[in-house]
Every structure is written in structure tokens, then in C-alpha cells.
Amino acid sequence: MKDKQVAQATTTRNPWLWIPTLYFAEGIPYFIVNNISVLMLAKMGVPNGQMALFTSLLYLPWTIKPFWSPFVDIIKTKRWWVISMQILMSVAFVLLTLAMPKPTPDVIATGQTPISMFYITLMLFVITAFASATHDIAADGFYMLALTQKMQAAFVGIRSTFYRLSSIFGQGVLVYIAGAIETKYNNIPLSWQVTMGVSAVIFCLVTLYHTFAIPKPAADKSHIAGTQGAASAGQIMREFGQSFATFFKKPGLLLAILFMLLFRLPEAFLIKMCTPFLVAGREVGGLGLSTENVGLVYGTIGVFFLTIGGILGGIYASRVGLKKSLWVMAACMTLPCLTFCYLAELLPTNLVSISIAIAIEQFGYGFGFTAYMLYMIYFSEGEFKTSHYAICTAFMALSMMIPGMFAGYIQEALGYANFFWMVIACCAATLLVTYFVDRKIDPDYGHK
């Protein structure tokens, strides 16, 4: 039966024609919603507390997507979901461009731009977030349906590479474009309006291309097509309920949840405030970088070293296993946070020094995050490992959303330098959960 399904999955269309663009398109809305939105609101003068709260809530769709993932299986084909969600996101990007608020330079300079000016923008970000999370579910499912297992293995590195390239495009190229326009015209709202316009045009073109380029594999069927399909839909819902029930009966569940929520606690606070810190004026404890330099330093150099850290982390973990790599990776998740204490205390002006600090911190995060991902796979092992892993990713998103909601208010109360020292104090939570998890892990897991 499995061989028959694999045979059905085979498609004659060259995967190089659609896999790179599909995963590039998967990343763009994620980074716009969760990263560019932070910088955009900070540059528009929205206070850090409100900015961090509202942008952190945008993580919610990725947190709760396991709850509606079965419906992507039941209703319509994966291809239909992919194309439909891309069309919806294209429309949202166009509307974001047209509805961009235009606070005056005087209002922006006060740093007290009311968040109410951005309610329409935030609502469009919410729509984009839900569409993007649904697109993730459909795209990953389609990948498995449209390719044989051999081809899936062959292209797993390609899809990861193009997803990373979308990160560089979103956090590097788009931010650099915004900075260049801001520098030339001295108009912050215009810079972000044009940037969103560029995003809209590119995403619309990719969507149009996918309408024709993405194949139609025979295995990609709706589960409600006919009587037999209706039974399949009921079975899916029963398995969905059973997968949740068995997840919450797993031994060691409480410790696993605490690990998933706390291992990244320092980074969860840090990531929400690092770009506002980079662009904030030196008089308020920031580095005062231009938007262009943020695109270069954080969006390009930082993402590059994040990627290298992830690659080397995977190689290291595969050689020594999860248990032996756990403490090394926990240290890499915590110690590089000191680079932001250095930046906040000394406020260097040399772009090379700033770039090196960002590179160290991002490399450490990329290397250390490997242990987190490997642990989620380890904990998900069993009959419902796919569903259980999806639930783990919900806790992963929650671990970023909750601290981020309060990061801005804490920073406003403490100032940037003290905020980053508070982040260092949070490293104790990472080390504590690492200590208890380390005692439970199979010593052979990860390098068998």
C-alpha cells in the first residue's frame, strides 16, 4: 500500500521548477509579519511596549495551527490551499501598501505614535499570519505528496536553503530598500510603503507563476470527495483527537513543556528588542543605526551566521548525539547574549564591531537551536510522531510569543542596558531546564 502511494506521488514536472520558489514564498510572509513589522513600527515611533505586545500576538496563528491542520487535509487539495493562500497574501500585501499610515515627522520624533493609527495594518498582518500558517501546513503536505521519498530526501536541503534566502531577502534586502528610500527622501512612511509595494509585486508574480508551475499529483485529493472520502474525514478527526490525547499522556510531559517554553527564554526577549535597540537614538541608549545598516548588519550578516550556526550545529549533533551536545548548545544559546550587553554598555559606533557582535550572537543562537529542534523530534517519537511534532511546534511558537508580549514594557521600564542584563539573568532558566532534561535523554539518541 505504501509503495502504491509513493508511486502515485511521483510527478513528471521537474521539482527545480517549483520547490525553490515555493519555500521562498513560504518564508517571505513569515519574516514580514514577525520581523519587518517590528522594525517598521519602531521606525514609525510606536512605543516599544505597545509595539512588542501587538507584534508578539502575530505569532498566534503559528501557535494554534495544529488545531486546524486536519481541515487542510479534509477540505480541498493541498495545491488548492497553497495557491489560495498565496492569492490571499498577495491581496493583503497590496492592501498593506495602500493603507500604510503616514504619521508626521514631528509625531514620529516624539516616540509616542499611537498604535491606533496602525489598526488596519495590524489587521492585515493578522490575515497574512493566518494565511501564512495555513500555507505552511499545505506546502509541507504537498511536498510529501508530490515527490517520492528519494526526491524528498534529495530536496530537503534545497527547500531549507531557499527558506533561508527568503529570510535574507525579507530582513536584509527589503529593510535595505526601506533604508535607502528613507535616506534619499527623508520620509519614513514612504520608505515602508514602497517596501511593502515591492513585496506585493514580487509575491503577486510568484503566485501567478505557481498557478501554472506547481504540479497536480494524483495523490493530492480532498478527503470529502464522495462517500469514501466522508469516512476518511471522520477517521482523520478521530485520529486528530487521539493524537492530542496521547500527546498529553506522554511520560515526562511537564518537563518537556517546560523545556520547550524556557530553553529559548533569553532569545525570546532579545529578538523582540534587538532591532528597536539598533535603530534607537544614542540619547535613549540605542545604537542609532540607519535602516540600511540594520538590513546589512542584522538582516544579512546576522542571518548568514545564523544559518552557518544551524548547519554546524546539525553536523555536531549528528556526530555526538543529543545528550552529549545538549550542554554545549545550551551554552551557545546563553553566552552570546552578552554581546548585546557589550553593545548597550559601550555603544560602539564602528560598524565592523557591531557586525561581529551580531554575528557571534546569531551564530550561537543558530548552533544552540539545533538541540531544541532535535529534542522536539526526540519527544515526538511514537505512533503519532507527525501530529505530536506539530503540537511541539505550537509550544515553540508560544515560547516566543509570551515573552515577546512583555519585552517592550520591560525595556521601557529598565532601559536598554538593564534590559539586556535581565536577558542574561533569564539564562538561568535555560540552564535549569537543560539540567533536568539531560538526565532523561537516551544517551544513544541522535547518532545511531
Side-chain angles (χ1 to χ4, degrees), residues 133-266:
T134 305
H135 181 274
D136 292 354
I137 298 166
D140 292 340
F142 185 81
Y143 178 86
M144 291 184 283
L145 286 171
L147 301 178
T148 62
Q149 290 183 0
K150 183 178 180 180
M151 293 175 74
Q152 288 177 41
F155 277 88
V156 69
I158 302 301
R159 57 183 268 186
S160 299
T161 298
F162 277 86
Y163 188 84
R164 286 297 183 192
L165 286 174
S166 72
S167 174
I168 293 175
F169 176 78
Q171 299 181 85
V173 176
L174 290 180
V175 171
Y176 187 86
I177 290 171
I181 295 170
E182 178 189 334
T183 301
K184 184 173 182 178
Y185 296 103
N186 195 27
N187 189 325
I188 293 174
L190 176 66
S191 70
W192 291 105
Q193 186 171 34
V194 172
T195 300
M196 285 298 166
V198 171
S199 304
V201 170
I202 292 173
F203 207 81
C204 286
L205 291 174
V206 171
T207 301
L208 181 63
Y209 173 74
H210 284 160
T211 303
F212 301 99
I214 291 181
K216 299 179 180 179
D220 188 18
K221 295 179 180 179
S222 166
H223 286 281
I224 58 173
T227 307
Q228 184 177 355
S232 298
Q235 183 181 7
I236 286 174
M237 293 309 296
R238 285 193 297 273
E239 290 186 359
F240 175 66
Q242 191 176 355
S243 68
F244 265 86
T246 54
F247 179 85
F248 288 99
K249 291 178 181 177
K250 273 181 169 283
L253 175 69
L254 180 59
L255 177 60
I257 291 176
L258 287 173
F259 181 85
M260 288 185 277
L261 291 178
L262 297 178
F263 186 74
R264 294 200 297 169
L265 183 62

Side-chain angles (χ1 to χ4, degrees), residues 40 44 95-102 118 121 189-190 192-193 196:
M40 184 185 79
M44 292 278 203
L95 293 177
L96 278 165
T97 304
L98 298 175
M100 183 65 64
K102 297 178 175 61
F118 295 88
T121 302
L190 176 66
W192 291 105
Q193 186 171 34
M196 285 298 166

